[in-house]
Amino acid sequence: MIRACALMDLPPGEAVRIVGPHAPIAVFNADGVLYAIDDTCTHQDASLSEGWLEGCFVECPLHAASFDLRTGEPTCLPAKRPVKTYPVYVKDGEVYVDVEVNKDVA
């Protein structure tokens, strides 16, 4: 598990980028529900943590591809491939991402 941040440092509607074992990971607070996905858009190299969060969807800031944070699946073009998702846990006010149990949907 990787510590992402303190829960109080990730308010609803915000994201944080952390260093993962193979690639950066984006952790989102979508209206109080936490999600973690690979931070790099599968269409081109853009940081999804810098995108626009609406509900449980994030829009890539580069070409407006959108991903469902629950599944990693793209919801519109130009992205065609999903991003990996990871379980997120909160313990003692700290947010953790379980990078050992990724849901590789690609």
Side-chain angles (χ1 to χ4, degrees):
M1 289 235 223
I2 296 175
R3 181 189 175 277
C5 62
L7 181 59
M8 65 188 311
D9 293 335
L10 187 59
E14 297 294 321
V16 64
R17 181 180 188 190
I18 63 172
V19 175
H22 304 290
I25 296 171
V27 183
F28 297 89
N29 184 335
D31 299 324
V33 180
L34 303 177
Y35 299 97
I37 62 173
D38 276 349
D39 186 49
T40 305
C41 178
T42 57
H43 170 248
Q44 283 193 337
D45 292 338
S47 173
L48 294 174
S49 64
E50 296 176 9
W52 296 275
L53 183 61
E54 186 168 331
C56 57
F57 300 93
V58 63
E59 182 179 304
C60 177
L62 193 56
H63 293 117
S66 179
F67 295 89
D68 187 325
L69 297 174
R70 300 167 293 188
T71 64
E73 291 292 327
T75 60
C76 68
L77 295 174
K80 296 178 183 176
R81 292 176 297 134
V83 291
K84 292 179 185 175
T85 62
Y86 303 88
V88 180
Y89 301 96
V90 177
K91 183 176 180 182
D92 299 326
E94 301 293 320
V95 178
Y96 296 91
V97 177
D98 189 346
V99 295
E100 300 300 321
V101 183
N102 74 62
K103 299 174 186 174
D104 188 356
V105 292

